[in-house]
């Protein structure tokens, strides 16, 4: 069970990092005026449901990472 939780937390952490990098690219595209650099939209924009699912999964990953970080800080 502990191995499964560690694997889940590792995947969640990677998804949070990917999501943060995506938002960084969105900001850079906005500031530079070049255009939309949202990689999730560029990759899955033709499938809005898949795009929304990716955002939900990244958001749930952020919640999991926050919970895990809170537990680690309390120790």
């Amino acid at each position: 069970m502990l191995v499964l939780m560690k694997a889940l937390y590792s995947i969640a952490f990677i998804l949070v990092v990917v999501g943060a990098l995506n938002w960084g690219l969105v900001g850079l595209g906005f500031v530079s005026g070049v255009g939309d650099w949202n990689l999730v939209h560029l990759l899955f924009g033709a499938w809005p449901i898949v795009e929304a699912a990716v955002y939900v999964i990244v958001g749930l990953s952020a919640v999991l990472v926050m919970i895990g970080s809170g537990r680690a800080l309390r120790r």
Side-chain angles (χ1 to χ4, degrees):
M1 183 68 171
L2 185 61
V3 173
L4 179 63
M5 288 303 295
K6 284 185 178 182
L8 183 63
Y9 185 81
S10 296
I11 292 169
F13 182 79
I14 290 168
L15 287 173
V16 168
V17 169
V18 168
L21 290 173
N22 186 55
W23 276 111
L25 287 172
V26 168
L28 286 174
F30 178 75
V31 169
S32 68
V34 174
D36 187 11
W37 292 356
N38 185 343
L39 294 180
V40 174
H41 181 70
L42 291 174
L43 293 174
F44 303 112
W47 303 301
I49 292 176
V50 175
E51 184 180 5
V54 169
Y55 287 127
V56 169
I57 291 168
V58 171
L60 291 173
S61 297
V63 171
L64 182 64
V65 169
M66 286 188 315
I67 291 169
S69 297
R71 287 182 183 158
L73 289 174
R74 278 186 260 135
R75 290 184 193 165

